[in-house]
């Protein structure tokens, strides 16, 4: 027994040494992400939070002073342009997210049918989602041109009058919502993956029991794709609330601030008016709004999201 004790001790030391080397290797591999997170995400977030309580101006940093909650008070109670930007962003987000959810789901239903060349069409519908937002914005700037744009050309071929599109306060938001559907292939792909995971025997059993196509869609397919709807809803809402490129390239917030998105207004305060403190406060207000809406969606998910293995709400 005494002879085996040193041997066991050596084995234990080797195991501890091996685990130490594995832990060290793990820390080394994860360190680039940790360093990047601290330097480029957490650090700037802390700096912007501190700046939001000051009147920090880029051109005159030596004049920076502590103003407390004044920036937040100004945004929430004194700045009418802030309210306009928030109204535009919320209206656009609701319309764009709903359009993306509905049209993406309908396209996924069409692409879930087996026919020759279906893989090509699936790729074709997804490809626009990977194109740069600036390029897409410039393309739609031409499409929505009232004089020689493609949209009005098609309307005239159909015998309909042309529209002012992005050059009208009434039509600019609907135009941007239509433009947002260019990337609908991203949500379509997620829906398609969810549709293909549905067991076929459920629809077959329902069909044998006399359920029609619409009943099978509403009672079987739709409940089983609610996790995909939930995923697209959360990501779509977060993305739309941060809309910037489309308005910056196509409309510059006009006409009459009808497309002045929140992030565009934030950008103007930071890099046009050089009011970095106020811009930081706007950024944190948007963060809190996004966080509140996301938490609300997560809380409501228990009532309408259905997981096959775990039941409703996960």
């Amino acid at each position: 027994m005494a002879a085996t004790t040193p041997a066991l001790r050596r084995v234990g030391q080797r195991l501890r040494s091996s685990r130490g080397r594995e832990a060290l290797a793990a820390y080394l591999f994860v360190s680039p992400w940790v360093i990047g997170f601290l330097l480029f995400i957490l650090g700037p977030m802390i700096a912007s939070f501190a700046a939001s309580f000051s009147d920090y101006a880029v051109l005159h940093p030596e004049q920076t002073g502590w103003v407390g909650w004044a920036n937040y008070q100004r945004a929430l109670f004194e700045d009418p342009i802030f309210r306009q930007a928030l109204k535009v962003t919320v209206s656009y987000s609701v319309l764009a997210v709903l359009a993306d959810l509905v049209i993406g789901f309908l396209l996924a239903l069409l692409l879930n049918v087996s026919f020759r060349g279906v893989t090509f069409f699936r790729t074709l519908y997804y490809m626009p989602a990977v194109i740069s937002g600036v390029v897409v914005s410039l393309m739609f700037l031409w499409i929505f041109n009232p004089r020689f744009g493609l949209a009005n050309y098609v309307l005239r071929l159909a015998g309909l009058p042309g529209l002012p599109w992005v050059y009208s306060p009434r039509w600019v938001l609907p135009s941007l919502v239509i433009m947002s559907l260019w990337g609908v292939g991203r949500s379509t792909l997620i829906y398609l993956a969810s549709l293909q995971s549905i067991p076929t025997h459920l629809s077959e059993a329902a069909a044998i029991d006399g359920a029609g196509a619409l009943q099978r869609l509403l009672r079987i397919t739709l409940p089983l794709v609610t996790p995909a709807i939930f995923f697209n809803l959360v990501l779509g809402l977060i993305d739309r609330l941060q809309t910037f490129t489309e308005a910056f390239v196509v409309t510059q917030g006009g006409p009459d601030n009808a497309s002045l998105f929140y992030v565009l207004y934030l950008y103007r305060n930071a890099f046009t008016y050089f009011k970095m403190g106020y811009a930081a406060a706007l950024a944190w207000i948007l963060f809190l709004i996004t966080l509140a809406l996301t938490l609300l969606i997560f809380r409501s998910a228990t009532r309408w999201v259905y997981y096959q293995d775990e039941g409703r709400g996960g």
Side-chain angles (χ1 to χ4, degrees):
M1 186 72 180
T4 59
T5 302
L8 290 174
R9 208 172 280 144
R10 285 194 296 272
V11 171
Q13 290 174 352
R14 289 197 192 104
L15 286 174
R16 285 193 293 272
S17 177
S18 176
R19 289 171 183 170
R21 286 195 297 270
E22 290 178 358
L24 178 61
Y27 287 130
L28 288 175
F29 278 116
V30 80
S31 62
W33 183 89
V34 173
I35 294 171
F37 174 78
L38 293 175
L39 291 180
F40 302 114
I41 298 180
L42 185 61
M45 285 181 66
I46 295 173
S48 71
F49 185 70
S52 70
F53 294 98
S54 71
D55 57 356
Y56 175 63
V58 177
L59 298 181
H60 303 285
E62 71 281 354
Q63 299 178 6
T64 299
W66 184 263
V67 297
W69 295 96
N71 287 326
Y72 293 93
Q73 181 178 353
R74 174 189 168 191
L76 295 174
F77 304 108
E78 302 170 10
D79 188 354
I81 303 180
F82 164 83
R83 292 192 289 272
Q84 171 66 12
L86 187 61
K87 175 185 173 183
V88 168
T89 304
V90 171
S91 301
Y92 169 80
S93 298
V94 170
L95 294 173
V97 169
L98 286 177
D100 182 81
L101 291 175
V102 173
I103 296 178
F105 180 65
L106 294 177
L107 285 175
L109 288 176
L110 292 174
L111 295 174
N112 195 40
V113 179
S114 296
F115 59 90
R116 180 176 296 180
V118 65
T119 305
F120 168 77
F121 284 101
R122 289 171 181 171
T123 305
L124 187 67
Y125 274 102
Y126 178 73
M127 281 181 63
V130 301
I131 299 177
S132 168
V134 175
V135 174
V136 174
S137 299
L138 292 174
M139 180 184 69
F140 273 93
L141 188 60
W142 165 72
I143 290 175
F144 288 139
N145 189 286
R147 294 176 56 193
F148 51 80
L150 180 62
N152 279 351
Y153 175 75
V154 173
L155 289 177
R156 293 187 186 103
L157 286 180
L160 300 173
L163 296 173
W165 298 110
V166 295
Y167 299 94
S168 163
R170 178 182 177 184
W171 286 98
V172 63
L173 273 188
S175 302
L176 293 175
V177 170
I178 295 172
M179 179 177 165
S180 71
L181 293 175
W182 175 261
V184 74
R186 186 181 296 108
S187 60
T188 299
L189 189 67
I190 295 170
Y191 281 131
L192 186 60
S194 182
L195 288 171
Q196 293 186 344
S197 68
I198 298 176
T200 57
H201 69 267
L202 296 176
S203 293
E204 293 170 355
I208 292 173
D209 289 339
L214 182 60
Q215 288 179 311
R216 296 197 301 272
L217 174 65
L218 296 178
R219 299 300 181 94
I220 297 176
T221 304
L222 199 56
L224 292 178
V225 299
T226 48
I229 296 175
F230 171 72
F231 182 81
N232 284 329
L233 175 61
V234 172
L235 290 190
L237 182 64
I238 294 173
D239 182 61
R240 299 305 190 279
L241 287 173
Q242 300 178 75
T243 299
F244 171 77
T245 305
E246 295 85 344
F248 182 76
V249 175
V250 178
T251 66
Q252 284 291 316
D256 297 330
N257 288 336
S259 64
L260 181 61
F261 286 95
Y262 192 101
V263 177
L264 178 59
Y265 183 53
L266 189 158
Y267 171 86
R268 286 181 178 177
N269 276 280
F271 302 107
T272 301
Y273 313 139
F274 298 109
K275 298 177 180 178
M276 196 64 70
Y278 187 55
L282 292 177
W284 277 97
I285 292 173
L286 179 61
F287 169 76
L288 293 175
I289 292 173
T290 305
L291 179 63
L293 291 176
T294 303
L295 291 176
L296 183 63
I297 295 172
F298 269 89
R299 190 174 182 84
S300 70
T302 57
R303 300 181 180 180
W304 60 274
V305 179
Y306 179 86
Y307 296 95
Q308 296 182 51
D309 298 330
E310 302 178 10
R312 191 166 296 275

